[in-house]
Amino acid sequence: MLNSFRNAGETFSVPSQRFDKFRIERSLQLFEFDVITINAQGQQIRQERGQAKYFTEDLGNGVTLDLVTIPSGEFMMGSLEGEEGSRANEYPQHLVTIKSFFISKYPVTQSQWWAVSALPKVNFNLKPHPSRFTGDNHPVERVSWHDAVEFCARLSIKTGSEYCLPSEAEWEYACRAGSTTPFHFGDTITSYLANYRGTTSYANAAPGEYRGATTPVGSFHNNAFGLYDLHGQVWEWCADSWHDDYEDAPTNNSIWQSNDNNDYHILRGGSWYDIPVSCRSACRVKGGRGGGLVSNVGFRVVCTA
């Protein structure tokens, strides 16, 4: 028997399995972290203590994958009117209701990619070492949307749980973590807080450092949900087909599929190479399914709850 797991644009079938929510619930652990907020000058104005629950998947050979619980809630998706650097495709802003899900704490790393790429093929071959910037704990990059979906299919079979790319709504909700500002930590971005083209500034912040490469995941500050590397580092694939704006967009977790055989999908978050406006919570760009084979495109995964 076959099940079709969640994605957009085409269907990939994997052997039927049961989502083992009881296994996950039993293994949930609590972790704590600091949440900081900065003003438009890049100065820290607040620090609070946060906590979240997570579980860990064992990928074998000492490689693990942490998935953080994202609580249910509502948020306004898209840009506020007048947000610096906003684009027409980020409007209209609209209310979205989200059901709880799990998402990886970091972008998928090269060691995690290597472990899953060694599993049996479902639909496509995967290169074990596709990345330009090498390091076990660096994010995997130079992966296409097809590659990311194949990763999810293999991981689903190994674990008995449904893994997939996040919907665009899930990605932005997880990134914002309750914030309404251009970045989850406030009105601007600094190279102390994220890996991007820091020599270009946003709002009233001073220019900073441009590293010119990926960095180990978790090197910078988390958001209020306990997630890392959402601004900069690598662009992240979402499951949705590309749409030019949010007219008639879903108002829940759903993946927004195209009716016209659209070969383009959503990328979110900006990268080490990009200027600040491209790293905002609301920024969205399109990439071809077979594209993304550049050193600033990666992904993270969702486990449905």
Side-chain angles (χ1 to χ4, degrees), residues 138-271:
H138 284 241
V140 69
E141 16 93 0
R142 299 205 298 191
V143 291
S144 71
W145 185 86
H146 284 306
D147 293 335
V149 171
E150 174 71 14
F151 179 99
C152 293
R154 297 188 191 190
L155 185 58
S156 297
I157 291 172
K158 175 176 175 58
T159 63
S161 298
E162 183 185 354
Y163 280 92
C164 52
L165 294 176
S167 71
E168 188 176 15
E170 287 170 336
W171 192 96
E172 186 171 327
Y173 179 74
C175 176
R176 288 189 178 279
S179 66
T180 58
T181 48
F183 306 91
H184 65 66
F185 29 67
D187 292 319
T188 191
I189 186 172
T190 73
S191 56
Y192 172 75
L193 296 174
N195 181 19
Y196 66 101
R197 190 176 288 271
T199 48
T200 303
S201 60
Y202 186 91
N204 299 321
E209 180 181 0
Y210 173 46
R211 296 172 177 86
T214 61
T215 50
V217 299
S219 297
F220 301 94
H221 224 281
N222 54 274
N223 70 4
F225 285 158
L227 304 178
Y228 294 80
D229 297 308
L230 292 150
H231 299 308
Q233 188 74 294
V234 288
W235 287 100
E236 298 182 13
W237 286 112
C238 293
D240 307 55
S241 300
W242 173 258
H243 294 80
D244 290 334
D245 55 39
Y246 286 136
E247 292 292 342
D248 302 317
T251 57
N252 55 25
N253 297 55
S254 299
I255 292 167
W256 194 10
Q257 300 194 27
S258 174
N259 295 322
D260 60 358
N261 196 29
N262 190 336
D263 286 333
Y264 291 95
H265 288 268
I266 307 293
L267 287 162
R268 286 299 206 118
S271 77

Side-chain angles (χ1 to χ4, degrees), residues 20-239:
D20 194 352
K21 69 177 183 177
F22 300 107
R23 171 182 65 87
I24 292 172
E25 287 172 353
R26 285 195 303 269
S27 62
L28 284 176
Q29 302 176 65
L30 188 70
F31 73 106
E32 296 186 341
F33 44 83
D34 291 322
V35 181
I36 69 169
T37 304
I38 60 174
N39 61 19
Q41 289 73 43
Q43 300 165 332
Q44 183 175 324
I45 57 174
R46 186 165 60 251
Q47 179 171 318
E48 300 171 307
R49 198 67 176 158
Q51 60 181 27
K53 292 182 178 181
Y54 75 102
F55 75 94
T56 300
E57 290 283 19
D58 183 358
L59 304 183
N61 295 315
V63 180
T64 59
L65 173 69
D66 287 346
L67 283 297
V68 176
T69 304
I70 304 300
S72 301
E74 293 182 336
F75 80 114
M76 293 300 294
M77 184 172 179
S79 287
L80 285 168
E81 285 292 335
E83 181 172 302
E84 181 181 340
S86 62
R87 303 161 183 172
N89 64 41
E90 300 165 15
Y91 297 101
Q93 196 176 51
H94 54 291
L95 182 67
V96 177
T97 301
I98 298 291
K99 292 182 179 180
S100 180
F101 61 96
F102 298 96
I103 192 168
S104 48
K105 185 186 291 187
Y106 314 106
V108 170
T109 67
Q110 292 174 37
S111 62
Q112 291 163 349
W113 177 269
W114 176 83
V116 173
S117 70
L119 297 173
K121 170 183 171 182
V122 177
N123 290 285
F124 296 104
N125 294 318
L126 294 177
K127 295 179 180 178
H129 304 291
S131 301
R132 172 187 174 191
F133 303 112
T134 57
D136 287 350
N137 208 35
H138 284 241
V140 69
E141 16 93 0
R142 299 205 298 191
V143 291
S144 71
W145 185 86
H146 284 306
D147 293 335
V149 171
E150 174 71 14
F151 179 99
C152 293
R154 297 188 191 190
L155 185 58
S156 297
I157 291 172
K158 175 176 175 58
T159 63
S161 298
E162 183 185 354
Y163 280 92
C164 52
L165 294 176
S167 71
E168 188 176 15
E170 287 170 336
W171 192 96
E172 186 171 327
Y173 179 74
C175 176
R176 288 189 178 279
S179 66
T180 58
T181 48
F183 306 91
H184 65 66
F185 29 67
D187 292 319
T188 191
I189 186 172
T190 73
S191 56
Y192 172 75
L193 296 174
N195 181 19
Y196 66 101
R197 190 176 288 271
T199 48
T200 303
S201 60
Y202 186 91
N204 299 321
E209 180 181 0
Y210 173 46
R211 296 172 177 86
T214 61
T215 50
V217 299
S219 297
F220 301 94
H221 224 281
N222 54 274
N223 70 4
F225 285 158
L227 304 178
Y228 294 80
D229 297 308
L230 292 150
H231 299 308
Q233 188 74 294
V234 288
W235 287 100
E236 298 182 13
W237 286 112
C238 293

